[in-house]
Amino acid sequence: MLQERWTAVDGYIGAHLVPTDPVLDAVLRVSADAGLPPISVSPAQGKLLHVLARAQGARSILEIGTLGGYSAIWLGRALPPGGRLMTLEAEPRHAEVARANLARAGLTDVAEVRPGPAQDTLRRLHAAGDGPFDLIFIDADKPGYPDYLSWSLRLSRPGTMIVADNVVRDGAVADSASTDANVLGVRRYIEMMAAEPRISATVIQTVGSKGYDGFALAVVLAGS
Ligand SMILES: C[S@@+](CC[C@H](N)C(=O)[O-])C[C@H]1O[C@@H](n2cnc3c(N)ncnc32)[C@H](O)[C@@H]1O
């Protein structure tokens, strides 16, 4: 019942604020046809990422966890001319589908999909002196989140926004007895944010067509 209502409200929000978009519709369809799991952000959440990137004036965006490129397209569309998006994906098949989808969205010149485990790619990016990024979106394996926060901080500047999805997990995040690796990953992530003097952070719980979950939002502070 609750889920029905959340989905209906997402439908209402979508009808008013997230107009039907043939490219994004095709991206979801092609991704499903290719066998990718339906775990991209919702349209309203994609729009949230877009609004945050615009508000941030982001010129360089890093995404960890591409899937079929749905959120990457929302983020890529927020970039000004000359901006760039790098998105990291471990599964070769997902990376291939995402590249085709980014091309479908006309973002080939803006967006780069880096294949391979994000931990390795992040290490290489840092070693190459890449960054800082203006906005970082973390949306890959949850046990990896603590590591992704460490790397994100190294690839940030004061003012960088670090957003992480799926940190509430149907409320399981509040269960200190949980032995679920995903819950342990997001709990550690939140506790790391709490202990990190270089950022100011919060978590916002969300409901909608994707169920009950939440986003962690952090900004890197001046003087960091
Ligand atoms: C939730 S999906 C990303 C959804 C995407 N951000 C969107 O909203 O359209 C998570 C993705 O992270 C990828 N992934 C999982 N572990 C990874 C890792 N260690 N490095 C890079 N990508 C990983 C998965 O293959 C999957 O495609």
Side-chain angles (χ1 to χ4, degrees), residues 109-171:
D109 294 341
V110 172
E112 183 190 350
V113 183
R114 287 267 178 115
Q119 291 87 343
D120 298 347
T121 311
L122 290 163
R123 188 174 302 111
R124 276 200 296 275
L125 287 178
H126 186 249
D130 217 321
F133 293 91
D134 301 322
L135 187 147
I136 300 175
F137 178 46
I138 302 173
D139 193 21
D141 56 307
K142 311 314 162 196
Y145 272 31
D147 219 19
Y148 299 147
L149 180 57
S150 300
W151 285 112
S152 295
L153 285 167
R154 293 182 193 119
L155 292 164
S156 293
R157 58 158 177 83
T160 294
M161 180 175 283
I162 303 172
V163 181
D165 195 12
N166 308 123
V167 300
V168 171
R169 317 205 63 74
D170 256 320

Side-chain angles (χ1 to χ4, degrees), residues 28-36 93:
L28 292 178
R29 206 168 45 246
V30 166
S31 299
D33 290 349
L36 271 54
R93 178 78 184 122

Side-chain angles (χ1 to χ4, degrees), residues 27-28 36-37 39-42 45-46 49 63-73 75 87-92 94-95 114-121 137-142 144-145 148 165-166:
V27 163
L28 292 178
L36 271 54
I39 54 172
S40 57
V41 295
S42 71
Q45 291 170 341
L49 295 171
E63 178 181 64
I64 305 173
T66 316
L67 193 64
Y70 183 80
S71 54
I73 291 170
L75 288 165
T87 179
L88 317 185
E89 176 53 56
E91 289 291 332
H94 296 185
R114 287 267 178 115
Q119 291 87 343
D120 298 347
T121 311
F137 178 46
I138 302 173
D139 193 21
D141 56 307
K142 311 314 162 196
Y145 272 31
Y148 299 147
D165 195 12
N166 308 123

Side-chain angles (χ1 to χ4, degrees), residues 41-74:
V41 295
S42 71
Q45 291 170 341
K47 182 82 181 274
L48 169 70
L49 295 171
H50 179 87
V51 167
L52 289 174
R54 294 283 291 262
Q56 178 78 349
R59 299 183 59 80
S60 59
I61 299 177
L62 174 66
E63 178 181 64
I64 305 173
T66 316
L67 193 64
Y70 183 80
S71 54
I73 291 170
W74 276 110

